[in-house]
Amino acid sequence: KMSKSKGNVVSLDEAVSKFGADATRMATLYLGPAELDAEWDKDSDKVFAGPYRFLERVWRMTQARTFNRDWREVVGAQGFAPSDVNQKLARKTHQTIQKVGGDIERFNLNTAISALMEMANSLSSWLDATKNNADDAQTQAVYSEAVETMLLLLSPFAPHLSDEMLERLGCDKSAYETSWPVANDDVAREDEITVPVQIN
């Protein structure tokens, strides 16, 4: 909600010129559930700065390693060692596909964006953990799958950045001409879960 009496009226044209259309769109969708009212922060830069920084991180992470366009062949041909960091990133990738797809269908756009931010955190940790193993074929394939998937899942919220990065990675089609990623339930499944039990 914006109100002249509260002095929190913001021209989104100014936000677009300062932060870009993608960050502006993400900021407004991330405010909260679509069916509820949200109070607009008087300091509008705070509203847009977080999504803007997130998109900058995505930009950097999608160029951090060598992208293998044929990652599907490598991922399908090799298994994972138990508790492998690659397995953890692959699991997070497929869990994010499930979460974002389900949230979009339910119109929970703010939680879909939150899931993408969690995936970016996982990818960032994975990049640190695999610094010394960057040239391994499986490592490249898992990274490539995660990056391509993240850009496709991000495309409804940040279409300009997503298409720009997909083009830079050598993809022939825009996100809107590409099939939505399909989650592999076996890859997404956790090996262990914690079940709380209360007695009396």
Side-chain angles (χ1 to χ4, degrees), residues 111-186:
T111 55
I113 293 170
S114 180
L116 288 165
M117 291 177 174
E118 286 179 24
M119 183 178 174
N121 291 338
S122 296
L123 181 55
S124 180
S125 300
W126 178 89
L127 286 167
D128 289 338
T130 58
K131 275 188 265 193
N132 301 326
N133 203 23
D135 295 332
D136 176 65
Q138 187 190 57
T139 303
Q140 278 188 358
V142 168
Y143 167 77
S144 301
E145 178 185 25
V147 163
E148 184 177 313
T149 300
M150 184 161 60
L151 290 173
L152 290 172
L153 297 177
L154 186 62
S155 63
F157 311 105
H160 303 97
L161 178 132
S162 299
D163 271 356
E164 174 70 22
M165 289 314 305
L166 287 169
E167 185 178 326
R168 283 175 181 241
L169 296 175
C171 297
D172 302 328
K173 300 177 181 177
S174 77
Y176 294 101
E177 299 171 309
T178 307
S179 299
W180 187 255
V182 177
N184 182 325
D185 293 338
D186 292 333

Side-chain angles (χ1 to χ4, degrees), residues 35-132:
E35 68 275 9
L36 300 180
D37 289 338
E39 200 72 43
W40 196 266
D41 194 322
K42 288 181 182 177
D43 184 3
S44 61
D45 280 9
K46 289 180 184 174
V47 176
F48 302 110
Y52 181 78
R53 284 194 305 271
F54 166 68
L55 292 176
E56 280 187 323
R57 277 184 77 201
V58 171
W59 181 269
R60 288 192 305 270
M61 285 190 295
T62 52
Q63 300 177 86
R65 298 277 177 87
T66 303
F67 180 81
N68 179 4
R69 289 182 61 190
D70 300 322
W71 60 263
R72 288 169 183 81
E73 297 170 15
V74 180
V75 166
Q78 296 183 351
F80 293 109
S83 71
D84 189 353
V85 290
N86 288 338
Q87 183 183 37
K88 290 178 183 173
L89 181 61
R91 180 181 296 132
K92 188 64 176 177
T93 298
H94 287 268
Q95 288 174 345
T96 306
I97 294 170
Q98 292 173 335
K99 174 77 172 140
V100 172
D103 283 351
I104 288 174
E105 287 179 10
R106 291 185 295 273
F107 212 60
N108 294 336
L109 305 180
N110 59 320
T111 55
I113 293 170
S114 180
L116 288 165
M117 291 177 174
E118 286 179 24
M119 183 178 174
N121 291 338
S122 296
L123 181 55
S124 180
S125 300
W126 178 89
L127 286 167
D128 289 338
T130 58
K131 275 188 265 193
N132 301 326

